[in-house]
Amino acid sequence: MSVAKVIELSVSSPKGIEDAVQQGLRKVSQTVKNIRGAWVNEIKVVTGEDGAITEWRVNMRVNFVVE
């Protein structure tokens, strides 16, 4: 029998959504092993006064198998 656990992360990047997700997975993989997947729950942006996007933010859930 295997048991999976899910943790939730909030990550941001000035480069884009994909970069934010990759940064989050890289960071969490430093302490969590057996990562099996991730779901992006929410995407947000921070804008400047001119409406230009200055930062991308994602909330994501990471699934991993517990040993």
Side-chain angles (χ1 to χ4, degrees), residues 11-18 20 42-48 51-59:
V11 190
S12 64
S13 169
K15 295 180 183 177
I17 298 167
E18 186 176 347
E42 192 172 1
I43 301 168
K44 300 178 186 179
V45 296
V46 177
T47 63
I53 296 172
T54 58
E55 184 177 67
W56 292 85
R57 295 181 181 173
V58 296
N59 289 340

Side-chain angles (χ1 to χ4, degrees), residues 7-67:
I7 57 174
E8 191 163 352
L9 308 173
S10 294
V11 190
S12 64
S13 169
K15 295 180 183 177
I17 298 167
E18 186 176 347
D19 186 60
V21 171
Q22 287 178 346
Q23 282 187 46
L25 289 172
R26 257 188 248 115
K27 184 66 175 177
V28 78
S29 70
Q30 293 174 359
T31 56
V32 175
K33 303 303 175 205
N34 299 321
I35 295 173
R36 295 294 182 247
W39 299 272
V40 175
N41 299 347
E42 192 172 1
I43 301 168
K44 300 178 186 179
V45 296
V46 177
T47 63
E49 290 181 11
D50 62 353
I53 296 172
T54 58
E55 184 177 67
W56 292 85
R57 295 181 181 173
V58 296
N59 289 340
M60 56 191 276
R61 292 181 181 171
V62 177
N63 178 328
F64 61 96
V65 175
V66 178
E67 295 181 346

